[in-house]
Amino acid sequence: MTQPDYSLEAAALAQGHLRIAGVDEVGRGPLAGPVTAAAVVLDAAAIPEGLNDSKKLSLKKREALEGKILSSAQTAIAHATVEEIDSLNILRASHLAMERAVTALDPAPDYLLIDGNLIPKGLVLPCEAVVKGDAKSLSIAAASIIAKLARDRIMVDLAQQFPGYGWEKNAGYPSKQHRDALVHLGVTPHHRRSFKPVHNILYQE
């Protein structure tokens, strides 16, 4: 199993860039809640041990790493709302969240490593798209951890306001409990109406 490393960042530094941000988003697949992005500029002299794709880490490990990332790196988190997801589409909304996270970094980065195969059109900085970037780049892995924890906490809060959907466990993804609750409890203001399972319940014949 390959671990992310600092080689993409090192290559950008070698080209004369000084502040390289890894950018990742989480929450494209859920039926409810925002899509969340994070941008992280690691300090090359103080990279936390054990950074990896957030999906490969336990909650305990993610939370331990989050503290180390926040204390040693520069981070920014941003979201795109359910309304934006429904009006734009999920890909554009996830790119919007990424653009907002990058804009929120101060001082600004001068090079971006973007998780995925597309570069958000609103980003004017030099950047490269990195497929499966959270498994290749330490900066993107750090961003994946920050974004996932931020979004999961939002879904835990929303679960308290709208019990029964299991968002505190499924983070809005279409688990059996969530799909059953949609049928029996109906659609909340936090559901993505453009997503087929939600749309189908709203517009049942």
Side-chain angles (χ1 to χ4, degrees):
M1 195 170 73
T2 57
Q3 296 276 83
D5 61 31
Y6 201 67
S7 56
L8 292 169
E9 292 86 344
L13 288 167
Q15 291 167 8
H17 299 290
L18 299 173
R19 301 176 53 72
I20 294 105
V23 188
D24 198 9
E25 52 72 33
V26 64
R28 277 198 204 183
L31 305 179
V35 60
T36 299
V40 175
V41 180
L42 291 174
D43 176 354
I47 297 173
E49 286 282 320
L51 289 177
N52 205 338
D53 174 356
S54 66
K55 295 184 288 296
K56 296 176 182 168
L57 300 170
S58 67
L59 173 60
K60 194 174 174 186
K61 188 80 173 127
R62 281 197 293 270
E63 288 178 337
L65 283 165
E66 177 190 40
K68 294 175 182 174
I69 295 165
L70 294 176
S71 64
S72 64
Q74 187 194 359
T75 62
I77 301 166
H79 313 276
T81 64
V82 166
E83 293 77 15
E84 288 169 328
I85 292 166
D86 285 340
S87 64
L88 297 170
N89 76 44
I90 183 59
L91 177 64
R92 181 67 198 114
S94 60
H95 282 181
L96 184 62
M98 285 180 165
E99 292 162 12
R100 288 171 174 162
V102 169
T103 303
L105 283 173
D106 181 25
D110 61 8
Y111 195 82
L112 305 174
L113 297 169
I114 309 280
D115 183 58
N117 60 354
L118 297 169
I119 289 169
K121 60 188 178 195
L123 294 176
V124 293
L125 293 167
C127 48
E128 66 183 287
V130 186
V131 175
K132 293 194 168 46
D134 39 16
K136 295 175 183 170
S137 154
L138 286 170
S139 299
I140 297 176
S144 80
I145 292 166
I146 297 296
K148 178 162 176 50
L149 284 168
R151 187 179 183 282
D152 284 355
R153 286 175 189 137
I154 289 170
M155 297 311 295
V156 169
D157 286 345
L158 290 177
Q160 292 168 353
Q161 299 168 46
F162 294 89
Y165 298 88
W167 292 344
E168 70 284 355
K169 296 194 296 284
N170 62 43
Y173 282 87
S175 67
K176 184 178 187 310
Q177 180 187 4
H178 190 181
R179 294 195 312 271
D180 289 349
L182 262 176
V183 173
H184 297 298
L185 300 175
V187 176
T188 73
H190 299 287
H191 277 103
R192 302 173 180 181
R193 283 153 168 71
S194 55
F195 279 42
K196 203 167 186 178
V198 181
H199 182 89
N200 288 351
I201 283 168
L202 282 172
Y203 302 101
Q204 283 166 341
E205 292 304 320

